[in-house]
Amino acid sequence: MLNRRNFLTAAVGVAAATGLAACAKKDDDGGSTGGGDGKIVLGFSQVGSESGWRSANTDSVKEAAKEAGYNLKFSDAQQKQENQISAIRNYITQGVDVIAFSPVVVTGWDAVLKEAKAKKIPVVLTDRSVETSDESLYVTLVGSDFTDEGRRAAKILEKVLEKAGKKGPVKIAQLEGTTGAAPAIERAKGFKEVMDAEHADDWKIVVSQTGDFTRAGGKQVMAAFLQSNPDIDVLFAHNDDMGIGAIQAIEAAGKKPGKDILIVTVDGVKDGFIAMSEGKINAIVECNPLLGPQLMEVVKKVKNGEKVDRWIKTKEGDFMQDQAKAALPTRKY
């Protein structure tokens, strides 16, 4: 997995324009590839459209590519790794200038990344990291520190509990993201780090299961949680959408979200802030999806063979319930 430190690394070699132009072909959009018109050709494979965060991320990438004047080849993997690998291989065949993708899961990428390297097409990771046997198979990651988001969620939960006057043992339910995905693994890890170090005697995760980052998954899994553990004090959801789905299950069970069960989520999408302004979510740890402009800047540098940071972090904040109404009008996603 990506060693999350800031350090400089040389960009992977860029594919020769004359060779790419010779093998240019039509993609699914009907657009020619190979940069014959002088535009940078970027192949981007998105995880899917599982959440409000992901939709905002997709919009940001598309808008930024258009503004930068790039020829964007976009594909939606529908949360399936095999679809994403197929899309990346298609970009390799088309001879794009740069490939960027937000990996569905952490493992299983070496083969296709080696194919891109063999064709001298640099790869940029967005949003999520991967585990690989050779870190030279990709140039950089543009995204968040998910482990730190987990730590921040634990620290903001301390404030939520204090404000609620909750003392003594705390029973926590955790709605995990997609199994094997970097944000699911790392947010859980960061949260547990703080819990084990500072709350080993009073916090306990009594139930934890994936809700696949979807509202439907959050609702279904939370309903099951409440059946097996009706005395849950806190819900930690790895994204807002699962938290919003869980709110529906909590209300269906006759409980008050934000009061009977305190809720901390990650992302900061507008619907999450609406739920927080209504008192149903107690705190949100922001994970900024608006990566498009940063990504396009990195793609240009990589295409030109310039050095880039190994990990380009996004700027984020944390929000308590009493900040929701003031912050809501400023939410761009």
Side-chain angles (χ1 to χ4, degrees):
M1 184 175 292
L2 174 64
N3 184 0
R4 292 177 174 263
R5 302 191 303 263
N6 260 354
F7 62 92
L8 295 179
T9 185
V12 180
V14 180
T18 54
L20 298 184
C23 63
K25 58 187 287 185
K26 298 286 184 178
D27 73 345
D28 293 338
D29 298 331
S32 63
T33 66
D37 57 2
K39 292 183 177 181
I40 291 176
V41 182
L42 171 63
F44 182 83
S45 177
Q46 182 61 282
V47 171
S49 53
E50 76 282 359
S51 64
W53 191 100
R54 189 63 56 189
S55 297
N57 180 242
T58 292
D59 290 346
S60 178
V61 170
K62 288 182 175 179
E63 290 168 7
K66 183 177 180 180
E67 189 170 321
Y70 295 175
N71 186 350
L72 178 67
K73 307 298 178 182
F74 180 89
S75 65
D76 182 335
Q78 299 179 330
Q79 293 184 277
K80 295 180 180 179
Q81 186 178 32
E82 59 268 29
N83 291 349
Q84 203 157 43
I85 290 173
S86 177
I88 293 170
R89 285 193 169 126
N90 189 31
Y91 296 147
I92 295 169
T93 299
Q94 292 178 33
V96 301
D97 292 314
V98 180
I99 292 171
F101 75 108
S102 181
V104 176
V105 294
V106 171
T107 59
W109 302 104
D110 275 25
V112 72
L113 293 182
K114 286 177 181 177
E115 292 170 26
K117 185 176 181 180
K119 294 295 185 179
K120 298 184 179 180
I121 302 175
V123 174
V124 174
L125 304 180
T126 70
D127 176 36
R128 301 176 175 184
S129 59
V130 299
E131 287 181 358
T132 177
S133 61
D134 178 2
E135 288 195 351
S136 73
L137 295 178
Y138 59 89
V139 180
T140 185
L141 165 68
V142 180
S144 303
D145 186 337
F146 299 133
T147 302
D148 192 55
E149 287 173 354
R151 296 187 194 108
R152 286 158 50 199
K155 297 305 291 185
I156 207 166
L157 176 57
E158 293 174 340
K159 296 178 182 179
V160 168
L161 290 167
E162 182 180 0
K163 188 170 183 179
K166 174 66 178 174
K167 299 180 180 179
V170 176
K171 295 182 178 180
I172 302 170
Q174 180 173 231
L175 275 170
E176 304 168 26
T178 303
T179 301
I185 296 168
E186 295 172 23
R187 285 171 186 163
K189 176 185 175 183
F191 187 89
K192 193 171 186 300
E193 279 181 11
V194 174
M195 187 178 76
D196 290 349
E198 302 178 24
H199 299 283
D201 296 331
D202 57 335
W203 290 12
K204 182 180 180 181
I205 296 177
V206 295
V207 62
S208 185
Q209 185 176 323
T210 179
D212 211 24
F213 283 130
T214 67
R215 293 192 190 189
K219 181 179 180 180
Q220 180 179 358
V221 175
M222 190 66 195
F225 283 175
L226 291 169
Q227 287 288 328
S228 60
N229 295 272
D231 55 349
I232 292 168
D233 300 305
V234 170
L235 170 65
F236 169 42
H238 286 189
N239 79 339
D240 292 342
D241 280 85
M242 289 190 297
I244 291 167
I247 286 169
Q248 297 172 16
I250 292 167
E251 291 176 332
K255 295 178 179 288
K256 292 184 177 180
K259 293 184 178 180
D260 296 330
I261 298 177
L262 304 176
I263 300 175
V264 173
T265 65
V266 180
D267 270 356
V269 299
K270 191 168 185 178
D271 284 354
F273 270 77
I274 290 172
M276 192 160 59
S277 70
E278 294 171 345
K280 297 179 180 181
I281 290 177
N282 301 87
I284 293 176
V285 172
E286 184 180 32
C287 179
N288 193 338
L290 306 181
L291 306 180
Q294 283 180 295
L295 174 60
M296 300 311 145
E297 182 180 348
V298 169
V299 166
K300 182 178 180 180
K301 289 181 178 180
V302 169
K303 171 68 168 64
N304 292 335
E306 298 177 38
K307 291 181 179 180
V308 295
D309 287 347
R310 183 65 172 174
W311 182 20
I312 299 168
K313 298 181 184 180
T314 53
K315 295 180 179 180
E316 301 165 340
D318 301 326
F319 299 87
M320 294 285 288
Q321 193 177 83
D322 56 7
Q323 298 172 290
K325 289 184 179 179
L328 185 56
T330 68
R331 302 314 291 173
K332 295 180 180 180
Y333 53 91

